[in-house]
Amino acid sequence: MNTIVPPKPPKSGVKTIRNIIIGIGMLALYIWTFATIEIPWDRIFSQRTIDNFDRVIPKLFSPDFTFASRVFEYMMETLFIAFTGSFMAAILAVPFGFFAASNINRNPFLNTLGKWILNADRTFPEILLALIFVVAIGPGAFAGVLAIAIHSVGMLGKLYSEVVESIDMNVVEAMEANGANKIQIFFYGIMPQVIPEFLSYAIYRFEIDVRASTVLGIIGAGGIGTLLVISSRNRNWDEVGMILLVIIIFVSIIDYISTFIRKRIV
Amino acid sequence: MIEMKDLSLVYPNGTQGLKNINVKINKGEFVVIVGLSGAGKSTFIRSINRLVTPTEGQLFVDDEDILKYKGKDLRKLRTKVGMIFQNYNLVKRSTVMKNVISGRLGHTGTLKSILNLYSKKDMALAYESLKRVNIEEKIYSRADQLSGGQQQRVSIARVLTQQPSVVLADEPVASLDPPTSHQVMKYLKKINSEDNITTIVNLHFIDMAMEYADRIIGMRAGEIVFDGPASKVNEKTFEEIYGRPIKEDDIRGGTEENVETP
């Protein structure tokens, strides 16, 4: 049997030259960067740095287990902040999602406005929103909840609108054709198609929010970050170690559960 | 009774969908519309339940001009004119029962339907419809677990649950294999004769048109170019309707015999 090798992909000279130019450009950029910056190697590897590492690192790896119950308490608060915030966002994002979906909101101006609102909302990081809410309503978990909720609406609204845009509109047409009104079409034709994806994204967002809310306490918006900032200011590195350990365990467990549930849903 | 008088439709992009259609379809007739794709078959049947709106002329369903209908009147019209689609258009993630009961939506109040409060009569009707197309054992299966032929039967059951006086079917067998196609056509024929439901079916397979139709309407470029009883139709007629010789693709072939039941 004679084997026929598939023909080589066509080569274009222009592309080769373009790639070579890009390669040279990148190389020049690296050389220029390393040639001009001064890296203070002596400061990085100074005796002081090494002493600090010697002092901190071993303590981080020998967490203070007597501290565990307090850490656990604050971690639960963090979870509650993330859950409440995600839950609020998961519901608030529904109207925004439909408003920004081009197959439901057919007015091009309003549709673009909807998408723009969600884009604008996403540009505010949680920590910035939390800063605003801590000032506006005082420090504590509620400020954190609002920061998480408002930020998550931006992302969930966008993801929801993409889900809505991908539904089978033929089903909607079939319902129209049997005399259903708009509300009935919404509940019978649209909701069954979008609910599983909505839920899946909401759970995914909760997973992200757990991570985000661990740092909110640093600026006074409640949760385990509060503890983190106190312990690190007091240089109790064994306590910080305990906090990090708890965060890592909780985040891993939640990631695992969330992936498991999301696989089952869709 | 359906009557079209000088009916024309021009789409916003300038395409002429229908051109001076004059036709009368009597109660209980089984009409098959044939023609090549783009001939205006879909536009023709979609005008009858106003999924598209003709731009000129008059269209009477039970002696009322439906072209003026809006909102509530339109929904009422659609409850008595049921429709079956090429791609079944079921809610794939919902159960068969939920899909079939949605045929009652036009007859049920908004709040009642949202809360799933259907009367015993409606539930019985839905179950009876499923039985008539022999798919009642799938009642609580999800629609996406069914084969194409089964899904089309569920969509027939949905239309039956609606208790329409007219059924429109837009290429109902185009996505099915030959044996299943014949099965679906037989069910359509059965409900047509048992319930005296006026049935209008779009097809492009000439053998199926000849086998199942009482009357055949041929369309080309938005116009009716043939209208007559199926008994008077032969291959020559189709060549005239299509404006070209008959090809292998125009014939479905096969019989119902080797279909897997159900």
Side-chain angles (χ1 to χ4, degrees):
Chain A
M1 207 181 93
N2 69 335
T3 43
I4 300 164
V5 183
K8 289 239 158 64
K11 260 192 181 164
S12 100
V14 183
K15 252 189 187 168
T16 319
I17 293 169
R18 191 195 66 184
N19 288 347
I20 291 171
I21 292 173
I22 291 174
I24 292 172
M26 295 288 283
L27 199 68
L29 206 63
Y30 272 100
I31 292 170
W32 180 48
T33 309
F34 281 102
T36 45
I37 56 167
E38 280 172 38
I39 301 171
W41 296 107
D42 53 326
R43 237 176 79 200
I44 294 174
F45 292 106
S46 70
Q47 194 55 45
R48 201 172 139 236
T49 316
I50 293 164
D51 286 349
N52 279 342
F53 263 76
D54 255 7
R55 203 149 33 80
V56 176
I57 301 294
K59 282 203 165 169
L60 277 182
F61 282 100
S62 55
D64 176 6
F65 283 94
T66 56
F67 197 51
S69 70
R70 242 185 111 206
V71 175
F72 187 75
E73 228 171 81
Y74 275 88
M75 190 65 216
M76 287 318 282
E77 190 184 41
T78 299
L79 287 189
F80 292 155
I81 291 170
F83 182 80
T84 317
S86 308
F87 189 72
M88 276 170 73
I91 291 166
L92 280 174
V94 174
F96 280 103
F98 280 100
F99 193 70
S102 57
N103 55 344
I104 302 289
N105 182 358
R106 287 176 190 281
N107 181 322
F109 173 74
L110 289 178
N111 182 253
T112 312
L113 182 74
K115 286 192 159 70
W116 193 84
I117 291 173
L118 292 172
N119 281 338
D121 182 61
R122 278 203 307 284
T123 59
F124 289 96
E126 286 103 348
I127 205 95
L128 191 79
L129 287 167
L131 216 56
I132 294 168
F133 285 119
V134 166
V135 174
I137 59 171
F142 189 51
V145 168
L146 287 180
I148 294 277
I150 305 259
H151 179 78
S152 302
V153 164
M155 184 185 118
L156 280 179
K158 176 158 167 66
L159 291 173
Y160 283 8
S161 77
E162 279 166 7
V163 171
V164 173
E165 279 172 357
S166 72
I167 65 168
D168 182 0
M169 287 304 277
N170 290 327
V171 173
V172 173
E173 189 186 35
M175 300 247 160
E176 265 172 26
N178 69 26
N181 64 35
K182 289 223 152 63
I183 301 170
Q184 289 172 326
I185 291 171
F186 181 77
F187 279 95
Y188 277 76
I190 297 175
M191 287 313 258
Q193 293 194 62
V194 299
I195 285 282
E197 265 99 351
F198 277 17
L199 256 176
S200 168
Y201 280 134
I203 292 169
Y204 177 52
R205 185 65 223 187
F206 170 65
E207 195 186 309
I208 297 172
D209 286 342
V210 170
R211 271 171 262 153
S213 59
T214 53
V215 294
L216 287 180
I218 293 173
I219 53 160
I224 200 158
T226 320
L227 217 53
L228 195 65
V229 87
I230 294 170
S231 295
S232 61
R233 289 247 167 88
N234 294 334
R235 293 164 194 273
N236 293 330
W237 302 114
D238 46 351
E239 288 180 12
V240 173
M242 188 65 219
I243 292 167
L244 291 181
L245 184 68
V246 169
I247 290 175
I248 290 165
I249 291 172
F250 268 78
V251 169
S252 309
I253 292 173
I254 283 163
D255 276 15
Y256 178 79
I257 296 174
S258 136
T259 314
F260 177 77
I261 296 175
R262 294 200 306 127
K263 256 192 205 145
R264 298 290 304 267
I265 286 177
V266 184
Chain B
M1 196 182 73
I2 297 160
E3 192 177 1
M4 299 184 178
K5 280 186 182 162
D6 297 323
L7 202 69
S8 292
L9 187 150
V10 181
Y11 284 106
N13 64 10
T15 315
Q16 182 110 36
L18 298 175
K19 211 162 156 186
N20 287 321
I21 303 281
N22 281 290
V23 74
K24 207 185 234 180
I25 294 168
N26 294 316
K27 174 96 188 122
E29 268 190 300
F30 194 101
V31 182
V32 170
I33 320 269
V34 294
L36 296 172
S37 65
K41 298 180 306 235
S42 265
T43 311
F44 182 94
I45 69 167
R46 276 159 198 260
S47 298
I48 299 169
N49 65 356
R50 283 278 310 280
L51 282 182
V52 297
T53 304
T55 43
E56 253 177 84
Q58 290 167 301
L59 204 172
F60 296 95
V61 174
D62 295 339
D63 297 318
E64 280 193 68
D65 188 354
I66 61 158
L67 295 190
K68 298 182 195 81
Y69 280 2
K70 261 190 221 147
K72 209 169 177 188
D73 286 335
L74 194 56
R75 287 203 299 276
K76 215 170 152 202
L77 165 78
R78 286 171 177 172
T79 59
K80 68 177 183 188
V81 181
M83 190 156 181
I84 291 165
F85 300 84
Q86 177 181 342
N87 299 315
Y88 336 122
N89 295 3
L90 303 175
V91 182
K92 299 218 164 47
R93 278 184 179 136
S94 297
T95 61
V96 165
M97 182 61 185
K98 184 132 189 187
N99 271 292
V100 172
I101 202 82
S102 77
R104 292 312 289 169
L105 285 177
H107 300 270
T108 313
T110 307
L111 199 62
K112 269 193 177 168
S113 57
I114 291 171
L115 300 175
N116 247 324
L117 298 170
Y118 289 96
S119 66
K120 272 200 177 124
K121 223 176 97 199
D122 286 352
M123 303 288 267
L125 182 65
Y127 189 54
E128 177 62 29
S129 307
L130 282 170
K131 275 208 222 149
R132 288 181 68 184
V133 291
N134 288 320
I135 196 144
E136 73 273 17
E137 80 275 16
K138 298 282 185 195
I139 181 164
Y140 295 120
S141 304
R142 261 169 60 148
D144 55 7
Q145 290 167 349
L146 306 184
S147 69
Q150 290 173 327
Q151 289 193 39
Q152 195 59 296
R153 273 145 68 196
V154 171
S155 93
I156 294 174
R158 176 171 68 183
V159 155
L160 281 174
T161 311
Q162 202 177 321
Q163 293 186 305
S165 56
V166 180
V167 165
L168 311 170
D170 195 1
E171 296 279 7
V173 300
S175 310
L176 302 173
D177 57 17
T180 333
S181 300
H182 283 282
Q183 194 189 38
V184 163
M185 287 307 289
K186 287 222 165 85
Y187 281 119
L188 285 176
K189 188 83 185 168
K190 194 175 116 188
I191 61 167
N192 161 256
S193 57
E194 284 177 4
D195 297 8
N196 198 31
I197 295 174
T198 314
T199 309
I200 306 172
V201 185
N202 277 352
L203 281 179
H204 60 269
F205 298 116
I206 62 173
D207 55 334
M208 295 198 91
M210 287 196 277
E211 187 174 346
Y212 295 101
D214 296 334
R215 173 180 170 189
I216 290 177
I217 293 176
M219 292 188 75
R220 191 172 60 210
E223 284 180 288
I224 292 185
V225 292
F226 177 86
D227 186 354
S231 53
K232 285 195 180 160
V233 171
N234 54 35
E235 285 204 2
K236 199 109 186 88
T237 327
F238 280 103
E239 293 189 340
E240 276 162 29
I241 294 169
Y242 288 7
R244 59 158 175 74
I246 296 303
K247 292 194 280 189
E248 210 179 310
D249 289 356
D250 302 327
I251 294 164
R252 169 105 293 188
T255 51
E256 201 198 346
E257 274 152 36
N258 42 359
V259 74
E260 282 173 56
T261 44

